[in-house]
Amino acid sequence: QVQLVESGGGLVQAGGSLRLSCAASGRTLSSYYMGWFRQAAGKEREFVATIGWSGGSTSYGDPVKGRFTISRDNAKNTVYLQMNSLKPDDTGVYYCAADYRRRVAGSDDYAYWGQGTQVTVSS
C-alpha cells in the first residue's frame, strides 16, 4: 500500500504559477499510474492530469491543457504538477491519486488518494 502526501498549494494571483508535489511512501512510485484531480467548493471532483508509470504517457483535462504539466521523478518517489497562467477557476483542493492499473484519462477509479492541498487563485 502506498501513502500519498500533497504539498505546494497556497494563495496566488491570477496569471501566477505554482508547483504541486505528491510524495509517495510505503511502496515504489514507479509501480503506480498517477493522477491529479481537483475539487472546488460545491462542485464535483474534476480530472486534471494523469501520467504513466515511466512518465512517457500524459493526459490532461481540457480546462488545463497548455497551462499545466504533470511529471514524475521515480527516483524521488514524487509526482509534480506545474501550474502556469493560473485562473480563479483553478481554485480548489488538489488531490493526487495512484493505482497499479493503467487509468483512462478522466477516470477517478484510483485505489489510493492523498489528503489534498488547497490552491486559491485571486483575481
Side-chain angles (χ1 to χ4, degrees), residues 69-90:
T69 302
I70 188 172
S71 62
R72 65 192 298 161
D73 186 338
N74 288 339
K76 295 183 177 180
N77 263 11
T78 303
V79 175
Y80 304 98
L81 185 69
Q82 177 67 42
M83 306 186 295
N84 298 328
S85 302
L86 283 161
K87 305 174 182 180
D89 284 349
D90 295 317

mmCIF file of all heavy atoms in Angstrom, residues 69-90:
data_model
loop_
_atom_site.group_PDB
_atom_site.id
_atom_site.type_symbol
_atom_site.label_atom_id
_atom_site.label_comp_id
_atom_site.label_asym_id
_atom_site.label_seq_id
_atom_site.Cartn_x
_atom_site.Cartn_y
_atom_site.Cartn_z
ATOM 1 N N THR A 69 1.413 21.066 -16.401
ATOM 2 C CA THR A 69 2.277 19.976 -16.829
ATOM 3 C C THR A 69 2.468 19.000 -15.684
ATOM 4 O O THR A 69 2.881 19.399 -14.582
ATOM 5 C CB THR A 69 3.648 20.494 -17.279
ATOM 6 O OG1 THR A 69 3.476 21.440 -18.338
ATOM 7 C CG2 THR A 69 4.523 19.343 -17.777
ATOM 8 N N ILE A 70 2.175 17.733 -15.936
ATOM 9 C CA ILE A 70 2.403 16.691 -14.952
ATOM 10 C C ILE A 70 3.728 16.005 -15.271
ATOM 11 O O ILE A 70 4.073 15.809 -16.430
ATOM 12 C CB ILE A 70 1.243 15.674 -14.940
ATOM 13 C CG1 ILE A 70 1.384 14.690 -13.776
ATOM 14 C CG2 ILE A 70 1.101 14.944 -16.266
ATOM 15 C CD1 ILE A 70 0.164 13.779 -13.586
ATOM 16 N N SER A 71 4.471 15.681 -14.223
ATOM 17 C CA SER A 71 5.743 14.978 -14.406
ATOM 18 C C SER A 71 5.984 14.112 -13.171
ATOM 19 O O SER A 71 5.287 14.233 -12.166
ATOM 20 C CB SER A 71 6.896 15.961 -14.608
ATOM 21 O OG SER A 71 7.055 16.791 -13.464
ATOM 22 N N ARG A 72 6.969 13.258 -13.291
ATOM 23 C CA ARG A 72 7.287 12.409 -12.151
ATOM 24 C C ARG A 72 8.779 12.157 -12.087
ATOM 25 O O ARG A 72 9.461 12.129 -13.120
ATOM 26 C CB ARG A 72 6.524 11.088 -12.228
ATOM 27 C CG ARG A 72 6.890 10.184 -13.395
ATOM 28 C CD ARG A 72 5.877 9.041 -13.561
ATOM 29 N NE ARG A 72 5.830 8.173 -12.399
ATOM 30 C CZ ARG A 72 4.821 7.355 -12.119
ATOM 31 N NH1 ARG A 72 3.763 7.299 -12.922
ATOM 32 N NH2 ARG A 72 4.858 6.578 -11.056
ATOM 33 N N ASP A 73 9.264 11.937 -10.873
ATOM 34 C CA ASP A 73 10.643 11.562 -10.627
ATOM 35 C C ASP A 73 10.582 10.308 -9.768
ATOM 36 O O ASP A 73 10.448 10.393 -8.536
ATOM 37 C CB ASP A 73 11.396 12.691 -9.929
ATOM 38 C CG ASP A 73 12.880 12.404 -9.773
ATOM 39 O OD1 ASP A 73 13.260 11.217 -9.802
ATOM 40 O OD2 ASP A 73 13.653 13.361 -9.615
ATOM 41 N N ASN A 74 10.659 9.171 -10.406
ATOM 42 C CA ASN A 74 10.515 7.918 -9.665
ATOM 43 C C ASN A 74 11.643 7.705 -8.663
ATOM 44 O O ASN A 74 11.447 7.065 -7.633
ATOM 45 C CB ASN A 74 10.416 6.749 -10.636
ATOM 46 C CG ASN A 74 9.078 6.713 -11.360
ATOM 47 O OD1 ASN A 74 8.080 7.282 -10.907
ATOM 48 N ND2 ASN A 74 9.054 6.046 -12.511
ATOM 49 N N ALA A 75 12.820 8.246 -8.950
ATOM 50 C CA ALA A 75 13.939 8.116 -8.009
ATOM 51 C C ALA A 75 13.646 8.857 -6.708
ATOM 52 O O ALA A 75 14.137 8.469 -5.642
ATOM 53 C CB ALA A 75 15.216 8.639 -8.645
ATOM 54 N N LYS A 76 12.856 9.922 -6.808
ATOM 55 C CA LYS A 76 12.484 10.708 -5.622
ATOM 56 C C LYS A 76 11.104 10.329 -5.109
ATOM 57 O O LYS A 76 10.590 10.950 -4.168
ATOM 58 C CB LYS A 76 12.528 12.201 -5.935
ATOM 59 C CG LYS A 76 13.923 12.716 -6.252
ATOM 60 C CD LYS A 76 13.907 14.218 -6.481
ATOM 61 C CE LYS A 76 15.322 14.738 -6.737
ATOM 62 N NZ LYS A 76 15.327 16.213 -6.976
ATOM 63 N N ASN A 77 10.467 9.358 -5.753
ATOM 64 C CA ASN A 77 9.123 8.932 -5.346
ATOM 65 C C ASN A 77 8.146 10.109 -5.295
ATOM 66 O O ASN A 77 7.322 10.215 -4.364
ATOM 67 C CB ASN A 77 9.157 8.239 -3.983
ATOM 68 C CG ASN A 77 9.208 6.733 -4.109
ATOM 69 O OD1 ASN A 77 9.419 6.186 -5.188
ATOM 70 N ND2 ASN A 77 9.028 6.046 -3.002
ATOM 71 N N THR A 78 8.230 10.974 -6.282
ATOM 72 C CA THR A 78 7.430 12.197 -6.276
ATOM 73 C C THR A 78 6.836 12.468 -7.653
ATOM 74 O O THR A 78 7.510 12.274 -8.674
ATOM 75 C CB THR A 78 8.275 13.397 -5.828
ATOM 76 O OG1 THR A 78 8.837 13.127 -4.535
ATOM 77 C CG2 THR A 78 7.435 14.660 -5.742
ATOM 78 N N VAL A 79 5.602 12.927 -7.637
ATOM 79 C CA VAL A 79 4.918 13.389 -8.848
ATOM 80 C C VAL A 79 4.664 14.881 -8.694
ATOM 81 O O VAL A 79 4.367 15.354 -7.583
ATOM 82 C CB VAL A 79 3.595 12.638 -9.052
ATOM 83 C CG1 VAL A 79 2.830 13.201 -10.236
ATOM 84 C CG2 VAL A 79 3.856 11.166 -9.265
ATOM 85 N N TYR A 80 4.762 15.607 -9.791
ATOM 86 C CA TYR A 80 4.619 17.052 -9.757
ATOM 87 C C TYR A 80 3.474 17.516 -10.665
ATOM 88 O O TYR A 80 3.126 16.849 -11.636
ATOM 89 C CB TYR A 80 5.906 17.724 -10.216
ATOM 90 C CG TYR A 80 7.123 17.313 -9.431
ATOM 91 C CD1 TYR A 80 7.988 16.331 -9.911
ATOM 92 C CD2 TYR A 80 7.409 17.902 -8.211
ATOM 93 C CE1 TYR A 80 9.098 15.945 -9.192
ATOM 94 C CE2 TYR A 80 8.536 17.529 -7.486
ATOM 95 C CZ TYR A 80 9.374 16.555 -7.981
ATOM 96 O OH TYR A 80 10.479 16.174 -7.252
ATOM 97 N N LEU A 81 2.951 18.672 -10.339
ATOM 98 C CA LEU A 81 2.004 19.340 -11.218
ATOM 99 C C LEU A 81 2.418 20.811 -11.290
ATOM 100 O O LEU A 81 2.257 21.550 -10.315
ATOM 101 C CB LEU A 81 0.567 19.221 -10.705
ATOM 102 C CG LEU A 81 -0.490 19.808 -11.640
ATOM 103 C CD1 LEU A 81 -0.604 18.953 -12.914
ATOM 104 C CD2 LEU A 81 -1.852 19.885 -10.943
ATOM 105 N N GLN A 82 3.014 21.177 -12.416
ATOM 106 C CA GLN A 82 3.393 22.572 -12.649
ATOM 107 C C GLN A 82 2.183 23.285 -13.223
ATOM 108 O O GLN A 82 1.661 22.885 -14.267
ATOM 109 C CB GLN A 82 4.568 22.651 -13.607
ATOM 110 C CG GLN A 82 4.982 24.065 -13.948
ATOM 111 C CD GLN A 82 5.559 24.810 -12.767
ATOM 112 O OE1 GLN A 82 6.343 24.266 -11.993
ATOM 113 N NE2 GLN A 82 5.157 26.068 -12.602
ATOM 114 N N MET A 83 1.764 24.342 -12.549
ATOM 115 C CA MET A 83 0.567 25.071 -12.955
ATOM 116 C C MET A 83 0.954 26.501 -13.301
ATOM 117 O O MET A 83 1.421 27.249 -12.422
ATOM 118 C CB MET A 83 -0.469 25.050 -11.828
ATOM 119 C CG MET A 83 -0.803 23.655 -11.323
ATOM 120 S SD MET A 83 -2.150 23.630 -10.125
ATOM 121 C CE MET A 83 -1.419 24.547 -8.784
ATOM 122 N N ASN A 84 0.759 26.871 -14.539
ATOM 123 C CA ASN A 84 1.078 28.215 -15.023
ATOM 124 C C ASN A 84 -0.183 28.926 -15.478
ATOM 125 O O ASN A 84 -1.211 28.300 -15.719
ATOM 126 C CB ASN A 84 2.071 28.134 -16.183
ATOM 127 C CG ASN A 84 3.385 27.513 -15.787
ATOM 128 O OD1 ASN A 84 3.837 27.641 -14.654
ATOM 129 N ND2 ASN A 84 4.017 26.824 -16.728
ATOM 130 N N SER A 85 -0.089 30.228 -15.622
ATOM 131 C CA SER A 85 -1.215 31.045 -16.083
ATOM 132 C C SER A 85 -2.484 30.713 -15.300
ATOM 133 O O SER A 85 -3.557 30.497 -15.886
ATOM 134 C CB SER A 85 -1.436 30.815 -17.587
ATOM 135 O OG SER A 85 -0.280 31.136 -18.322
ATOM 136 N N LEU A 86 -2.361 30.698 -14.013
ATOM 137 C CA LEU A 86 -3.477 30.298 -13.171
ATOM 138 C C LEU A 86 -4.639 31.272 -13.259
ATOM 139 O O LEU A 86 -4.446 32.489 -13.433
ATOM 140 C CB LEU A 86 -3.023 30.147 -11.724
ATOM 141 C CG LEU A 86 -2.244 28.856 -11.442
ATOM 142 C CD1 LEU A 86 -1.448 28.967 -10.163
ATOM 143 C CD2 LEU A 86 -3.188 27.667 -11.390
ATOM 144 N N LYS A 87 -5.843 30.716 -13.149
ATOM 145 C CA LYS A 87 -7.065 31.485 -13.224
ATOM 146 C C LYS A 87 -7.876 31.264 -11.930
ATOM 147 O O LYS A 87 -7.717 30.238 -11.273
ATOM 148 C CB LYS A 87 -7.903 31.011 -14.411
ATOM 149 C CG LYS A 87 -7.193 31.024 -15.733
ATOM 150 C CD LYS A 87 -8.062 30.393 -16.819
ATOM 151 C CE LYS A 87 -7.361 30.357 -18.155
ATOM 152 N NZ LYS A 87 -8.209 29.728 -19.214
ATOM 153 N N PRO A 88 -8.769 32.176 -11.609
ATOM 154 C CA PRO A 88 -9.608 31.957 -10.421
ATOM 155 C C PRO A 88 -10.388 30.640 -10.482
ATOM 156 O O PRO A 88 -10.618 30.018 -9.448
ATOM 157 C CB PRO A 88 -10.547 33.163 -10.447
ATOM 158 C CG PRO A 88 -9.734 34.241 -11.093
ATOM 159 C CD PRO A 88 -8.927 33.532 -12.153
ATOM 160 N N ASP A 89 -10.761 30.201 -11.682
ATOM 161 C CA ASP A 89 -11.472 28.928 -11.820
ATOM 162 C C ASP A 89 -10.607 27.726 -11.457
ATOM 163 O O ASP A 89 -11.130 26.619 -11.322
ATOM 164 C CB ASP A 89 -11.987 28.759 -13.255
ATOM 165 C CG ASP A 89 -13.207 29.617 -13.534
ATOM 166 O OD1 ASP A 89 -13.782 30.172 -12.570
ATOM 167 O OD2 ASP A 89 -13.596 29.741 -14.713
ATOM 168 N N ASP A 90 -9.308 27.916 -11.307
ATOM 169 C CA ASP A 90 -8.433 26.814 -10.899
ATOM 170 C C ASP A 90 -8.448 26.605 -9.383
ATOM 171 O O ASP A 90 -7.828 25.662 -8.879
ATOM 172 C CB ASP A 90 -6.989 27.074 -11.346
ATOM 173 C CG ASP A 90 -6.848 27.093 -12.854
ATOM 174 O OD1 ASP A 90 -7.452 26.225 -13.523
ATOM 175 O OD2 ASP A 90 -6.112 27.962 -13.369
#
